[in-house]
Amino acid sequence: MSVPSAAAAAAAVAALLLPLLMAGADPSDESCLLNLRNSLEDPANSLRKWTKSTLASPCNGFTSYLVGVTCNNGRIYKLSLPARSLGGSISPFLSNCTNLQTLDLSSNSLTGPIPAELSSLLNLAILNFSSNHLSGQIPPQLSFCSYLNVIDLHSNDLSGPIPDQFGLLVRLSVFDVSYNRLEGPIPVLLSNRTGLPRFNASSFVGNKELYGYPLPPMRGRGLSVLAIVGIGLGSGMISLVLSFTAVCIWLRITEQNSATAGGVMNDDDGKISHAMPDY
Ligand SMILES: *[C@@H]1O[C@H](CO)[C@@H](O)[C@H](O)[C@H]1NC(C)=O
Ligand SMILES: *[C@@H]1O[C@H](CO)[C@@H](O)[C@H](O)[C@H]1NC(C)=O
Ligand SMILES: *[C@@H]1O[C@H](CO)[C@@H](O)[C@H](O)[C@H]1NC(C)=O
Ligand SMILES: *[C@@H]1O[C@H](CO)[C@@H](O)[C@H](O)[C@H]1NC(C)=O
């Protein structure tokens, strides 16, 4: 009698545990990691355990044995793969990891753009893509992630402006876009909050075309000496061409007038032409 009841108890325990274990197999987390694995290059083989079968249930109950992945309640809430020599690009399907709070892919060799699709990661608090080779513009849609505390994009090849909308991220406590190729004015809401500097110059340095407080104003950096010389020469050429054209038109008109004016004008022409050889 005791053996069957022990078996029944074991079956009951298994029946209780099974849903917890199955909770790890979230289809959107699986799709998120599979797509990320495919978009990354992994020359150091850091992600050797990221296989199709292990990625099928990235969260084993409450934990994950996948490098870089941390789970909570069967969902991925942290993805942290700094300094693992990763190349390739950032998959837009990272947006499928909808419970993600921390995304750290810093200090790798990632290229390509920051996908605007990341804006659907509404729980995202920490975003660190620093020290890669990411290019293109910073997607303004990232401002939809209203829990963002940390945006660290320093030392990449990002271009274009700093989105004005980032000034509306009230929880932002760390913002670093230094050492990129960003341009344009620094959004006032990022630099000043009630007169006090919100983020100081160290957040913005190393972007040649970025200007405005807390960096120096545009005057003297927007227009280089070469540009001023260029504009001067250009406008000089244009006025030269314009006045030459004006003279040509004027000559044509007077020519036509003299051709239709008759004898008196011809007499004047004759006097002038006779006068010329005297010089
Ligand atoms: C992953 O994201 C894409 C694009 O947002 C969506 O079409 C797809 O249904 C998602 N897949 C899963 C399994 O959630
Ligand atoms: C982002 O990652 C880099 C390198 O991994 C680290 O040095 C830096 O402190 C991180 N940024 C933040 C704000 O934690
Ligand atoms: C920001 O605040 C500083 C110091 O309070 C002030 O000098 C500066 O003009 C302000 N800049 C902007 C763009 O409001
Ligand atoms: C700029 O701010 C950072 C962090 O907010 C701080 O560590 C650093 O000392 C500041 N730099 C200057 C020059 O004030």
Side-chain angles (χ1 to χ4, degrees), residues 83-121:
R84 294 192 177 264
S85 316
L86 299 171
S89 60
I90 300 175
S91 166
F93 292 102
L94 265 181
S95 60
N96 284 18
C97 280
T98 47
N99 270 27
L100 214 54
Q101 285 173 36
T102 297
L103 181 53
D104 184 352
L105 300 175
S106 61
S107 301
N108 284 294
S109 303
L110 301 173
T111 55
I114 298 175
E117 286 84 351
L118 298 187
S119 62
S120 56
L121 296 175

Side-chain angles (χ1 to χ4, degrees), residues 60-147:
N60 225 333
F62 293 95
T63 55
S64 175
Y65 45 86
L66 293 173
V67 63
V69 177
T70 311
C71 297
N72 184 24
N73 259 329
R75 293 297 309 273
I76 299 171
Y77 92 105
K78 187 174 173 182
L79 199 53
S80 183
L81 295 165
R84 294 192 177 264
S85 316
L86 299 171
S89 60
I90 300 175
S91 166
F93 292 102
L94 265 181
S95 60
N96 284 18
C97 280
T98 47
N99 270 27
L100 214 54
Q101 285 173 36
T102 297
L103 181 53
D104 184 352
L105 300 175
S106 61
S107 301
N108 284 294
S109 303
L110 301 173
T111 55
I114 298 175
E117 286 84 351
L118 298 187
S119 62
S120 56
L121 296 175
L122 296 180
N123 295 307
L124 200 61
I126 295 175
L127 181 68
N128 193 345
F129 289 159
S130 63
S131 302
N132 279 290
H133 307 294
L134 299 174
S135 56
Q137 302 207 354
I138 302 175
Q141 295 92 326
L142 282 182
S143 63
F144 296 148
C145 307
S146 54
Y147 288 105

